[in-house]
Amino acid sequence: MNWMIFSPEICCLVTALVFLFLAMAPTDARRDYIVAVALTGLAVCISLAGLYAAGELFHGTYRVDLFSQVFKSLLLMGLFLVVFISSGLSGIEHRYHPEYYMLLSICTLAMMMLVSAVHILTLYVALELSSYSLYILVFLRKGRDQGVASGMKFFLIGASASATMLLGLALLYGATNAAYFRVMVEVIPGVIHQPEVILGLALSLSGFLFKMAVFPFHFWAPDVYEGAAHQVAAYISTASKVAVIAVLLRMVALSGGESTHLVHFLAVLAIISMTVGNLTAIAQKDLKRLLAFSSIAHAGYVLVGILCISPEGNVSAMFYAVTVLLLKFTCFLVVIQTAFDGENIDIDRLAGLHRRSPIMALALMTALFGLAGIPPTIGFTGKLLIFVAAMEKGYFALVLIAMFNVVISLYYYLLVVRAAYLLDPPEGAGPLPAMPGAKILAGTLVAAIVILGIYPTPLLDLIQAAATALG
């Protein structure tokens, strides 16, 4: 067995073990932060070096190909970015910092296993491992009442979705007598019209729709975003979404595009998610709750690409995964730098941000314009790819509804930009005490958002090659 193709996962496992031992040593927040940045940075380098590795492990239950490797690199980049902005980590008590880094590493490891899983058992185990790590991370929020309430809601809804998914996988196994995805791909198109197969696929997707916060599994998102520490909320809104998009692409591809019932089911979920997310976001004053409802809406956009079940649709969904990672992380970077005391912030607290920290105001405006789909950002390119893929499949009404939702979202994104640029700062408010590293990161993210929006060709070429491996 070639263990070298497993090196990104091993690196993540080693990181988790290091922090398991550090959790038993005297607390040193600065030491933990430096070790975490070094190890996660190394993991990113290793994953990029092994981007074109290929092979199978554990008797074919674990597949390593370009599709999985691209998503693993994105997951590790998301982990590194979240760790990088954890230097203050004022939302979590110092004594729990090693556990925080350990759980982040375990969750990322589980999600990397998730994107490589090609057997229903490894898929389920990886999903559960990542879910339980996230539940505990939410509980770690300082000021336990808020964190505990959010964590309990997250856990209860997640456990229900997990049980539903297990039932769906059992139905699929019973109907196809296959546990490997590659066998299911051969069998399911021939039996896709059987009710138990359609029901099995729909129920199997519920666990991933929950993680993606798609309607009707979205109720946990606003409370968890609000109740979790800022860095944890950033991780949930970026890295976990990337993993779910990968698995949804694998699962929906099983149908081979032969089931109109499944497509209609996903289309209804996409429409309701976009509409509910955007309309509810308008009324939000808390910035993290607004970003949560925004995530629900963006889950609907991603579903539009996934339900196309075509090479163009797969590419558009993968590109949108990069889009979500960049834009949502940039928003949370500004949240963390603005709310340096670890408390949640209202949109009004952003008043005069352009005077207090011009680079953070610019980063926030660029990211929000990207989420709204305004050119020349990566968000515009991502939405364009999804809409074109859907139009090629003839889903005109779906695209029209999605475009209408884009217009709605523009309203509440502009409200945030207005607060940052057009309102005066509170009397006596001085410059934000942002770290030099955070300012450099903000500038880099702004450049990446614009450059990938104007010239996405290299990234698209890589994603198209990865999408080919999915087929």
Side-chain angles (χ1 to χ4, degrees):
M1 189 161 61
N2 183 10
W3 284 95
M4 290 305 294
I5 62 175
F6 202 58
S7 52
E9 289 89 334
I10 291 175
C11 193
C12 220
L13 178 62
V14 169
T15 304
L17 290 174
V18 167
F19 281 100
L20 175 63
F21 288 111
L22 287 178
M24 304 173 194
T27 303
D28 186 339
R30 188 63 185 166
R31 174 204 63 195
D32 296 338
Y33 173 72
I34 293 172
V35 172
V37 170
L39 288 176
T40 53
L42 177 64
V44 172
C45 296
I46 289 175
S47 69
L48 291 175
L51 202 58
Y52 291 95
E56 292 186 345
L57 295 168
F58 313 123
H59 300 286
T61 59
Y62 197 83
R63 182 178 177 185
V64 176
D65 52 23
L66 186 56
F67 176 79
S68 65
Q69 295 301 88
V70 167
F71 274 101
K72 285 176 194 173
S73 297
L74 290 175
L75 287 170
L76 286 170
M77 286 178 193
L79 172 65
F80 173 75
L81 289 172
V82 170
V83 167
F84 188 80
I85 59 175
S86 298
S87 61
L89 204 56
S90 52
I92 294 176
E93 294 182 22
H94 282 187
R95 58 179 171 149
Y96 293 129
H97 284 196
E99 287 86 348
Y100 163 77
Y101 294 119
M102 181 185 72
L103 289 168
L104 279 181
S105 303
I106 291 175
C107 189
T108 307
L109 170 64
M111 289 195 289
M112 287 196 293
M113 295 172 67
L114 198 60
V115 300
S116 271
V118 290
H119 187 281
I120 58 175
L121 189 57
T122 51
L123 179 83
Y124 185 74
V125 172
L127 181 69
E128 287 299 283
L129 183 60
S130 66
S131 297
Y132 279 91
S133 303
L134 285 179
Y135 300 151
I136 301 171
L137 279 167
V138 174
F139 275 107
L140 288 180
R141 175 76 182 267
K142 187 192 291 183
R144 289 308 185 88
D145 292 345
Q146 200 173 22
V148 169
S150 303
M152 281 303 295
K153 176 177 280 191
F154 196 21
F155 169 73
L156 291 174
I157 299 177
S160 303
S162 174
T164 308
M165 187 188 75
L166 191 59
L167 174 62
L169 290 174
L171 286 174
L172 281 181
Y173 179 74
T176 62
N177 198 27
Y180 286 89
F181 290 171
R182 63 172 177 269
V183 181
M184 284 186 172
V185 168
E186 296 170 359
V187 176
I188 283 182
V191 295
I192 190 66
H193 300 295
Q194 295 180 12
E196 63 267 30
V197 176
I198 297 173
L199 183 62
L201 268 176
L203 294 180
S204 301
L205 294 175
S206 64
F208 309 114
L209 298 178
F210 157 76
K211 298 268 285 185
M212 205 167 164
V214 172
F215 178 90
F217 304 96
H218 67 290
F219 292 104
W220 60 272
D223 292 336
V224 169
Y225 276 48
E226 185 181 16
H230 300 332
Q231 289 82 357
V232 174
Y235 184 79
I236 292 173
S237 72
T238 54
S240 71
K241 296 292 185 291
V242 168
V244 177
I245 291 171
V247 181
L248 274 176
L249 282 168
R250 275 201 196 277
M251 292 296 293
V252 175
L254 288 178
S255 71
E258 301 295 330
S259 174
T260 53
H261 296 298
L262 181 64
V263 172
H264 292 162
F265 171 69
L266 293 176
V268 170
L269 293 186
I271 291 170
I272 300 178
S273 295
M274 287 185 289
T275 308
V276 168
N278 283 322
L279 289 179
T280 316
I282 292 174
Q284 303 306 313
K285 299 298 181 188
D286 185 288
L287 186 55
K288 284 167 70 181
R289 287 185 70 87
L290 184 146
L291 290 173
F293 283 107
S294 164
S295 291
I296 295 168
H298 283 277
Y301 299 134
V302 173
L303 274 187
V304 174
I306 291 175
L307 65 84
C308 291
I309 316 178
S310 65
E312 294 78 13
N314 294 340
V315 168
S316 67
M318 291 179 68
F319 190 88
Y320 212 78
V322 182
T323 301
V324 169
L325 180 67
L326 267 179
L327 299 179
K328 280 296 169 67
F329 177 80
T330 305
C331 290
F332 274 98
L333 171 65
V334 177
V335 170
I336 291 166
Q337 296 303 314
T338 308
F340 46 84
D341 54 0
E343 296 297 321
N344 290 355
I345 59 171
D346 290 337
I347 295 173
D348 292 341
R349 191 166 163 179
L350 295 171
L353 183 65
H354 71 291
R355 293 185 192 169
R356 304 180 64 201
S357 179
I359 184 63
M360 290 300 161
L362 177 64
L364 181 64
M365 182 179 69
T366 309
L368 292 176
F369 280 179
L371 290 171
I374 295 176
T377 63
I378 187 174
F380 168 77
T381 309
K383 283 188 173 61
L384 181 65
L385 290 171
I386 284 177
F387 294 163
V388 169
M391 291 284 281
E392 287 179 353
K393 294 287 286 188
Y395 304 143
F396 302 113
L398 189 56
V399 172
L400 192 62
I401 293 171
M403 291 178 70
F404 181 69
N405 271 281
V406 169
V407 175
I408 296 174
S409 69
L410 188 59
Y411 172 75
Y412 62 81
Y413 289 135
L414 286 178
L415 286 180
V416 181
V417 175
R418 169 181 168 272
Y421 274 91
L422 299 181
L423 299 183
D424 293 328
E427 189 174 347
L432 282 180
M435 295 187 312
K439 293 179 179 177
I440 294 171
L441 179 59
T444 306
L445 288 169
V446 169
I449 290 169
V450 175
I451 291 172
L452 288 175
I454 296 172
Y455 184 61
T457 306
L459 178 61
L460 270 176
D461 290 342
L462 176 64
I463 287 176
Q464 283 170 344
T468 305
L470 176 65

